[in-house]
Amino acid sequence: MPVPDPRGDTGRWANASARLRTAGQPEQPPRRRKRNWFYRCCRCCSGQADDADWGPAPGEVPGARRTAPVIREGMLVVSGIDMLGSRSSTNRHAHHTDEYEYDNLIVRRGQPFDIRLQFQQDYDPEEHRVCLEFLIGPSPQTSKGTHVLIPLGTRLSDKSWGAELVDWEKNTMLLRVTSSPTAVIGKYKFSVKTRSKAGEYQAPFDPRYETYVIFNPWCSEDPVYMPQTGTLDEYVLNEVGRIYYGTESQIGERTWNYGQFDKGVLDACLYMLDRRGMPHTSRGDPIMVSRVVSAMVNSLDDNGVLVGNWTGDYSRGTNPSAWVGSRDILLQYHQTGYPVMYGQCWVFAGVVTTVLRCLGIATRTVTNYNSAHDTDVSLTMDIYFDENMKPLENLNADSVWNFHVWNDCWMTRPDLPSGFDGWQVVDATPQESSSGIFCCGPCSVEAIKNGLVYMKYDASFCFAEVNSDKVYWQRQSDGSFKIVYVEEKAIGHLISTKAVGSHKREDVTSLYKHPEGSEEERKAVETAAKHGTKAHIYKNKDWREDISLSVDAQDAYTGQDITLRVHLKNKSNMPREVSLNLFVAVMYYTGVTSSPFKKEQRQVQIPANGTQTVPMLITYAEYKPHLVDQGAMKLSISGKVTETGQVLAKEHTFRLRTPDLTLTLLGPAIVGQETQVQIVFKNPLPVMLTSVIFHMEGSGLSTPNTMTVGDIGPHQTVKMRQTFTPLRPGRRQLVASMDSPQLSQVHGVLTMDVAPGPARGPGGSPAPNRASPVLSRDSPGRQPTNRGSPANTRASPARGSPARQPDPRGSPNARGSPNAHGSPNARGSPVVGRRDRTGRPV
């Protein structure tokens, strides 16, 4: 029996309702009051008619209005409309929207704003009536909140639209308008209707008066309201953040330019909702909006924003590590309609933060270390070994990512029982489908903490990421598998986000889970496991533990040798002998490894109540041919205690560090005036870097997207100057990255204070970047060369792939690129990172 498409479910969209009607009973046409100016009995009735009285006549299409309206003598004709929408206006400042690089009015719902109207004759409240009209969507309807009619002086309740007269003088009036705190978000058309004894005048819809309405976390009636208003500067207004990566013992951080206020970004965010086909009636619900954003930021199902690629071959697009912000990604998607290549988890999460902050939802980017990917809904991480404790990779579909990045967004959850409001997990990385669609969340963090995996949306998957146990299974002689060890504290460490008001890392693990090993934490794990496919594993715990092991790795940069140490501790009063098997393999940060490139066997004697350390050296020559993205490797340890039969198992991940870019401002930063930045980079490798590209981006700064440098020799230093133009005053950050097939994950950031410049005219823009970057090279033992002179370019160039292709298993369960509806595949791009449900490449 075919599975029905969940996108057709009648209950999929909030605010959509079904009306029951008696069989055979015809639909009653709406009643319409006869339009007669003299129906009012006295002055007190002026302006008190309900919205239906101002609605369209039968057969009239809302919004379809002639540009030259009929004017008769005596009509109250609108001669001018001022939405007071400039960035310097009181409206924009009061609504915290003055940073958006738009000239249209942008307001947050549930909060008053002013507009000014001018008429060709003096306004007389005894003789004239005025109605404001807002429309959104292709088929505006008053019953669905997409056609809003606001007679002057009318407001039915605190949750409806309203307008009041603040002041008027002769032919000019100032109005204060309040939108509903649950209004549909998006771009509204605006017009004014007037009535007098001479008839009704309808002003044409003019694009200059289009108004953006977005969510309002400052409004207590809005479901996205955040009572800790001091944090909104960070979670809504901050345009630059930090994203954490690496491993729990080697945390890395990079600056990300969210750029939610940059020109064109707001339209790109609304385009995503249109592209998904989201009904406008549901766009007032942050639950549904965040869920659609989660689905649309990845390209699967719907040709969304980003194509996921974990193969290591990025020759058809941009290496995910090279992106420095969301702006260029969103603008490219909006301009072309094609998914952008390529993204990985931190890119997906960075774009989600941009989109949700731009739309007005408090959002932060969150990194989880040792993040589990549960493929079989067991709520455990299952690792299988053969009789000799060698990993059975064909059975190990579950994986543990070194790190995984997702988002927290803040909202109420009226669809859940009380107590689950607040932070909600939203994850746009395509790992597993949800109701047949590649999206995840919103999922209550409180539900995750307590193991309530039956809560929507996707609580079981989110719980497994942060608090599942690692279960080791060994194959027996009869072919069955037996649990030989359960590692209870292996998953979900150092859950991190940028701290409010600083660049420090904040640990939010306590929001996601109770203290490790506590009674509450164990209860949450066992509560969750009861709803999984292997609930029986906690019934019998017959493994013994008197030998424990731990691992540490010496910090090393790419190109250096690595020293590992395995520490064994004997907790018994008798000496022990341990047989150890050590396997080292390169790995993608998603936990997928290639075949081991280094293997060692050791016999270790451990004295009673004593310790023993086993060192292991990995040289650059050994790992160089196998290295993949992120410079990550995994040491897998298995062993057996001779005297007791205890089985030892441990996996330790570590990474190689990469150098930073050094950025220096070479002149004053003034709005509208060109200035220069110097970028310095030294190649740490004894090999040449080829096809080197630098990326730059900064909110409120006009910068080139990419700069092609060419080749950089072994241990060579490159100094490059690049021109850019500040667009907005205040503290700004310029973020840069370097990428080549031999080395990636190289970043740098420059913080500057931009001074206001001379005023610009309407629509004026600063001069474009005209100067090519100035490049100098300093290489030990040879003269500087002009080879590979950089040039400014707006397109992401196609770059040659590395000489050796990594193991194709480097992809999580992202099932390919978009389909032929305007997708890269339709132009011959390969399906990248495709795997079946077991995690094997297809």
Side-chain angles (χ1 to χ4, degrees):
M1 180 177 179
V3 179
D5 186 351
R7 286 165 281 195
D9 293 348
T10 56
R12 177 168 174 77
W13 302 107
N15 296 334
S17 61
R19 291 178 295 168
L20 297 179
R21 199 172 63 214
T22 305
Q25 179 184 354
E27 182 76 18
Q28 295 296 322
R31 298 183 61 187
R32 179 176 177 81
R33 179 178 296 172
K34 183 178 179 181
R35 292 186 174 179
N36 186 337
W37 172 254
F38 297 100
Y39 79 91
R40 293 181 297 164
C41 60
C42 62
R43 178 180 179 181
C44 65
C45 299
S46 176
Q48 299 306 310
D50 56 296
D51 290 356
D53 185 51
W54 287 93
E60 180 184 347
V61 178
R65 187 169 299 167
R66 63 176 64 186
T67 56
V70 176
I71 300 177
R72 291 189 294 271
E73 185 177 356
M75 280 185 172
L76 184 64
V77 177
V78 179
S79 59
I81 299 175
D82 188 353
M83 303 301 291
L84 304 177
S86 69
R87 290 182 52 201
S88 60
S89 69
T90 303
N91 280 339
R92 296 280 295 272
H93 181 75
H95 285 251
H96 306 280
T97 60
D98 48 315
E99 288 290 332
Y100 285 87
E101 293 177 0
Y102 282 77
D103 295 325
N104 293 76
L105 177 63
I106 303 174
V107 296
R108 300 185 187 274
R109 63 187 192 175
Q111 184 173 339
F113 59 94
D114 295 339
I115 62 174
R116 182 176 287 111
L117 302 180
Q118 189 172 16
F119 305 103
Q120 289 185 358
Q121 60 177 313
D122 290 352
Y123 170 71
D124 184 348
E126 291 282 349
E127 301 294 331
H128 299 142
R129 295 176 62 202
V130 177
C131 179
L132 308 182
E133 185 176 17
F134 290 88
L135 295 93
I136 190 171
S139 302
Q141 299 179 45
T142 55
S143 61
K144 295 184 178 181
T146 53
H147 185 191
V148 182
L149 295 162
I150 316 172
L152 181 59
T154 300
R155 193 171 191 195
L156 300 180
S157 70
D158 290 339
K159 292 191 176 182
S160 66
W161 292 70
E164 60 181 344
L165 181 62
V166 176
D167 189 21
W168 98 84
E169 183 177 356
K170 294 184 178 180
N171 66 335
T172 302
M173 64 167 53
L174 182 66
L175 303 179
R176 180 150 299 156
V177 183
T178 304
S179 61
S180 167
T182 58
V184 171
I185 61 113
K187 183 163 66 173
Y188 286 78
K189 295 179 180 179
F190 175 75
S191 178
V192 179
K193 294 182 178 183
T194 69
R195 285 183 185 163
S196 62
K197 292 180 180 180
E200 183 174 286
Y201 170 83
Q202 299 181 350
F205 291 98
D206 191 318
R208 293 176 298 173
Y209 309 141
E210 289 178 339
T211 299
Y212 295 87
V213 177
I214 58 177
F215 292 107
N216 191 353
W218 284 270
C219 174
S220 60
E221 297 296 324
D222 195 312
V224 303
Y225 171 65
M226 175 177 271
Q228 308 100 308
T229 54
T231 63
L232 292 175
D233 285 347
E234 179 70 49
Y235 296 139
V236 177
L237 302 181
N238 193 0
E239 299 175 77
V240 182
R242 294 290 176 92
I243 298 179
Y244 300 93
Y245 65 97
T247 66
E248 64 169 316
S249 59
Q250 297 168 305
I251 294 177
E253 62 182 58
R254 58 177 299 168
T255 301
W256 189 265
N257 178 51
Y258 296 123
Q260 67 267 31
F261 303 136
D262 284 8
K263 183 68 175 178
V265 171
L266 177 55
D267 286 318
C269 297
L270 297 176
Y271 170 73
M272 289 170 53
L273 307 183
D274 293 338
R275 184 72 176 264
R276 179 66 192 168
M278 184 181 189
H280 282 76
T281 53
S282 297
R283 299 189 188 187
D285 183 357
I287 298 172
M288 289 295 103
V289 169
S290 63
R291 190 156 174 79
V292 168
V293 169
S294 169
M296 278 300 300
V297 167
N298 69 76
S299 66
L300 299 180
D301 306 315
D302 41 33
N303 286 328
V305 177
L306 278 161
V307 178
N309 184 350
W310 288 263
T311 67
D313 179 7
Y314 312 115
S315 57
R316 291 180 178 268
T318 299
N319 186 331
S321 296
W323 296 113
V324 293
S326 309
R327 180 187 66 191
D328 290 346
I329 295 171
L330 288 168
L331 295 184
Q332 181 180 332
Y333 179 67
H334 189 201
Q335 291 163 5
T336 67
Y338 292 108
V340 178
M341 299 182 286
Y342 295 103
Q344 291 180 5
C345 70
W346 66 91
V347 187
F348 292 117
V351 172
V352 168
T353 297
T354 298
V355 174
L356 294 182
R357 286 187 183 180
C358 184
L359 296 179
I361 300 176
T363 308
R364 61 189 184 187
T365 308
V366 176
T367 300
N368 177 39
Y369 289 95
N370 291 347
S371 185
H373 180 180
D374 179 18
T375 60
D376 59 0
V377 201
S378 66
L379 299 174
T380 57
M381 290 301 100
D382 300 300
I383 304 171
Y384 296 89
F385 295 87
D386 65 12
E387 295 82 351
N388 299 315
M389 288 303 292
K390 182 179 179 181
L392 294 170
E393 296 297 347
N394 62 317
L395 297 181
N396 292 333
D398 290 349
S399 59
V400 179
W401 298 31
N402 290 349
F403 68 96
H404 181 46
V405 189
W406 61 68
N407 302 90
D408 282 348
C409 57
W410 185 277
M411 65 185 69
T412 59
R413 290 301 300 270
D415 58 329
L416 298 180
S418 177
F420 297 97
D421 298 339
W423 289 118
Q424 313 289 319
V425 170
V426 172
D427 191 348
T429 301
Q431 297 179 88
E432 299 293 327
S433 62
S434 171
S435 299
I437 300 170
F438 278 96
C439 63
C440 181
C443 174
S444 167
V445 171
E446 187 67 20
I448 295 170
K449 183 174 184 177
N450 292 288
L452 306 179
V453 297
Y454 45 83
M455 295 285 185
K456 62 180 182 182
Y457 294 89
D458 312 303
S460 59
F461 185 82
C462 295
F463 177 87
E465 288 183 300
V466 301
N467 207 13
S468 54
D469 287 343
K470 218 172 189 179
V471 181
Y472 296 84
W473 302 76
Q474 185 180 25
R475 187 169 61 194
Q476 306 300 299
S477 57
D478 61 358
S480 64
F481 283 88
K482 176 184 176 183
I483 298 176
V484 293
Y485 182 56
V486 173
E487 195 174 358
E488 297 180 345
K489 301 178 182 180
I491 303 300
H493 295 169
L494 300 175
I495 304 176
S496 304
T497 190
K498 178 185 175 299
V500 173
S502 77
H503 294 304
K504 295 181 179 179
R505 182 182 66 86
E506 180 182 356
D507 191 320
V508 294
T509 308
S510 61
L511 298 181
Y512 278 85
K513 55 200 299 188
H514 296 283
E516 288 281 11
S518 66
E519 181 179 349
E520 295 87 350
E521 188 265 344
R522 285 291 91 194
K523 180 181 179 182
V525 172
E526 296 188 16
T527 298
K530 291 176 182 178
H531 298 272
T533 57
K534 297 177 181 175
H536 63 281
I537 69 168
Y538 293 100
K539 294 181 179 179
N540 298 307
K541 297 183 178 181
D542 58 355
W543 49 88
R544 298 178 56 190
E545 298 181 31
D546 58 11
I547 300 294
S548 63
L549 64 84
S550 60
V551 183
D552 64 57
Q554 176 187 11
D555 273 358
Y557 281 86
T558 302
Q560 298 178 344
D561 295 344
I562 308 165
T563 300
L564 302 174
R565 294 181 179 85
V566 179
H567 303 286
L568 296 164
K569 183 176 181 179
N570 184 0
K571 303 175 185 177
S572 72
N573 296 321
M574 300 294 291
R576 297 286 188 244
E577 181 180 12
V578 179
S579 300
L580 282 183
N581 297 303
L582 308 176
F583 303 90
V584 181
V586 299
M587 66 176 292
Y588 294 84
Y589 80 96
T590 58
V592 177
T593 62
S594 65
S595 299
F597 67 84
K598 188 178 180 71
K599 304 176 183 179
E600 291 185 5
Q601 291 183 328
R602 305 285 184 89
Q603 291 294 125
V604 184
Q605 303 290 333
I606 313 174
N609 297 309
T611 60
Q612 187 65 271
T613 298
V614 180
M616 188 178 191
L617 178 67
I618 307 171
T619 66
Y620 174 65
E622 287 177 312
Y623 69 74
K624 174 183 176 294
H626 310 282
L627 205 58
V628 296
D629 285 351
Q630 306 284 333
M633 285 174 259
K634 179 163 70 176
L635 171 65
S636 297
I637 306 171
S638 63
K640 193 171 185 178
V641 180
T642 303
E643 292 80 4
T644 64
Q646 176 189 346
V647 173
L648 300 175
K650 182 76 173 179
E651 294 179 323
H652 179 79
T653 58
F654 56 97
R655 71 179 181 92
L656 294 161
R657 295 190 180 275
T658 51
D660 294 326
L661 298 177
T662 302
L663 279 66
T664 306
L665 189 65
L666 300 180
I670 303 174
V671 171
Q673 298 183 15
E674 291 183 344
T675 189
Q676 283 191 328
V677 61
Q678 177 176 269
I679 306 172
V680 180
F681 166 72
K682 182 177 180 180
N683 177 9
L685 301 181
V687 298
M688 179 174 289
L689 304 182
T690 61
S691 303
V692 175
I693 293 179
F694 285 81
H695 293 253
M696 290 178 60
E697 187 176 309
S699 291
L701 305 173
S702 175
T703 63
N705 297 50
T706 60
M707 298 158 284
T708 302
V709 174
D711 299 341
I712 300 178
H715 301 297
Q716 185 180 27
T717 298
V718 172
K719 297 180 181 179
M720 180 173 60
R721 292 184 180 184
Q722 177 60 51
T723 299
F724 69 96
T725 305
L727 301 178
R728 286 183 274 143
R731 175 148 292 191
R732 303 292 166 195
Q733 288 189 311
L734 182 64
V735 189
S737 72
M738 190 285 302
D739 177 49
S740 80
Q742 294 79 23
L743 184 66
S744 61
Q745 204 77 323
V746 178
H747 312 105
V749 60
L750 171 65
T751 301
M752 69 191 80
D753 291 311
V754 178
R760 297 185 297 173
S765 60
N769 294 314
R770 294 186 295 271
S772 296
V774 179
L775 181 70
S776 65
R777 301 166 184 260
D778 181 16
S779 176
R782 71 172 191 169
Q783 296 298 319
T785 174
N786 291 324
R787 182 180 178 183
S789 261
N792 288 346
T793 175
R794 284 288 177 184
S796 295
R799 290 166 288 174
S801 59
R804 181 186 183 277
Q805 296 301 325
D807 191 320
R809 294 179 299 161
S811 161
N813 288 350
R815 293 177 177 81
S817 301
N819 60 27
H821 286 292
S823 72
N825 282 355
R827 305 194 300 275
S829 174
V831 176
V832 292
R834 189 175 181 122
R835 300 175 69 196
D836 63 19
R837 298 290 293 184
T838 66
R840 291 175 294 187
V842 297

